[in-house]
Amino acid sequence: VFSETDRYVCVFDPLDGSSNVDAGIPTGTIIGIYEHDENCSIDEECVGPECSAQELQCLTNTLQPGTNLVAAAYCLYSSSTFLVLTLGAGTYGFTLDENLGEFVLSHPDMKIPESSSIISFNEANTHMWDAPLQEVVS
């Protein structure tokens, strides 16, 4: 949905776990925000198949590479609700304060540790990785 500014496009997808809610596993949402393509313009009076070209042009707004993101986030819903957000310069974690009804900055300037004894990834996809990445995790 575009507001009067038509400035941004938001894409989102559920994180794994939505089918496991009954097991107490956190669920969540990943979010990407792109700048709106000025070429997207749908005539609200247009109805039917003749509008397909307009709709297709606007759909391409959601098919941009990740390098075009202006912001990205994920939100986890469980006993606590967390929102992690980047606007491209730093990553910040927020926790929902239910008493205030607002997200409160709880993890400023989050960083990936330089080294760690724990790594996590989907091993089923390692055969599709390029050689340098396969070497890092082997």
Side-chain angles (χ1 to χ4, degrees):
V1 176
F2 295 113
S3 70
E4 294 169 0
T5 63
D6 291 342
R7 180 127 188 222
Y8 299 102
V9 174
C10 182
V11 294
F12 54 92
D13 197 36
L15 290 172
D16 288 342
S18 58
S19 62
N20 297 319
V21 171
D22 59 336
I25 296 171
T27 58
T29 306
I30 54 175
I31 304 157
I33 300 173
Y34 295 100
E35 287 203 46
H36 167 62
D37 181 354
E38 298 296 325
N39 295 320
C40 172
S41 177
I42 295 180
D43 178 2
E44 292 184 22
E45 302 296 319
C46 188
V47 178
E50 62 273 6
C51 303
S52 296
Q54 292 177 11
E55 292 170 347
L56 182 60
Q57 180 64 42
C58 291
L59 180 60
T60 60
N61 271 310
T62 65
L63 303 175
Q64 299 182 49
T67 53
N68 288 357
L69 286 167
V70 294
Y74 68 88
C75 195
L76 295 177
Y77 322 109
S78 188
S79 57
S80 293
T81 301
F82 300 101
L83 172 68
V84 177
L85 169 71
T86 183
L87 300 174
T91 303
Y92 303 90
F94 301 84
T95 303
L96 178 62
D97 183 321
E98 293 184 22
N99 293 323
L100 294 175
E102 298 178 5
F103 282 94
V104 177
L105 180 62
S106 54
H107 297 82
D109 199 26
M110 296 173 73
K111 304 254 188 246
I112 296 174
E114 289 291 324
S115 64
S116 175
S117 59
I118 300 172
I119 59 173
S120 179
F121 55 88
N122 185 344
E123 287 186 74
N125 293 325
T126 57
H127 69 281
M128 295 186 287
W129 296 356
D130 60 15
L133 183 55
Q134 288 182 359
E135 291 172 21
V136 168
V137 296
S138 62

